Amino acid sequence: MSKITTSLWFDGNAEEAANFYTSIFRDSKITSISRYSDAGPGPKGSVMVVAFELNGNPFIAINGGPQYKFTPAVSLLINCDTQDEIDHYWDNLLTGGTPQRCGWLTDKFGLSWQVVPSMMGELMSNPQTGGRVAAAMMTMIKLDIAELRRAAA
């Protein structure tokens, strides 16, 4: 069991979000659903917490109410080995969401994601290539591995 679990706060659509995310990621599943009792604060029988895994990583989605919203100050980063992976995650997570610059998107629930090539850190940290790769990335919405490699060459 992981010692760290990502907890996501939703306003009544935690189960919908968990189903959406587990449909996109391999090795993913809903592991449990807890419901409100007579003690509340939600309506008795409504979903309180959904525990789920994405690629084997634990998450919980809480139906906590409208007082908190997601911001881009916290995002989930997906390291992708191929352009096909980038395309898969980008296209699916973007359904109903909003694209941002530099491989970021906000999904239909307001959660921010970064869909990036696994080799991005290596390309960016190289003193000879980092500036060119960063400049190329700044012109992109969805990241393009071939273009980033050309910038590094």
Side-chain angles (χ1 to χ4, degrees), residues 17-96:
N19 284 322
F20 177 70
Y21 299 139
T22 57
S23 75
I24 295 170
F25 291 85
R26 291 182 302 266
D27 189 24
S28 299
K29 62 186 174 187
I30 292 177
T31 56
S32 69
I33 298 176
S34 302
R35 299 187 179 278
Y36 285 109
S37 68
D38 287 327
K44 181 180 179 180
S46 66
V47 172
M48 179 174 58
V49 176
V50 180
F52 63 103
E53 294 178 3
L54 301 179
N55 284 357
N57 296 299
F59 290 80
I60 61 170
I62 300 169
N63 276 329
Q67 58 270 48
Y68 298 115
K69 304 287 184 206
F70 296 119
T71 76
V74 174
S75 63
L76 300 178
L77 187 142
I78 307 167
N79 284 300
C80 301
D81 293 329
T82 67
Q83 190 65 45
D84 285 343
E85 271 189 292
I86 288 175
D87 295 344
H88 167 78
Y89 291 119
W90 181 271
D91 296 343
N92 285 285
L93 288 167
L94 192 57
T95 303

Side-chain angles (χ1 to χ4, degrees), residues 72-125:
V74 174
S75 63
L76 300 178
L77 187 142
I78 307 167
N79 284 300
C80 301
D81 293 329
T82 67
Q83 190 65 45
D84 285 343
E85 271 189 292
I86 288 175
D87 295 344
H88 167 78
Y89 291 119
W90 181 271
D91 296 343
N92 285 285
L93 288 167
L94 192 57
T95 303
T98 307
Q100 308 296 327
R101 289 178 35 165
C102 304
W104 288 58
L105 65 88
T106 303
D107 71 24
K108 65 183 175 180
F109 302 102
L111 185 59
S112 293
W113 297 82
Q114 298 177 60
V115 184
V116 301
S118 300
M119 67 5 180
M120 195 67 169
E122 178 184 329
L123 293 177
M124 295 285 285
S125 64

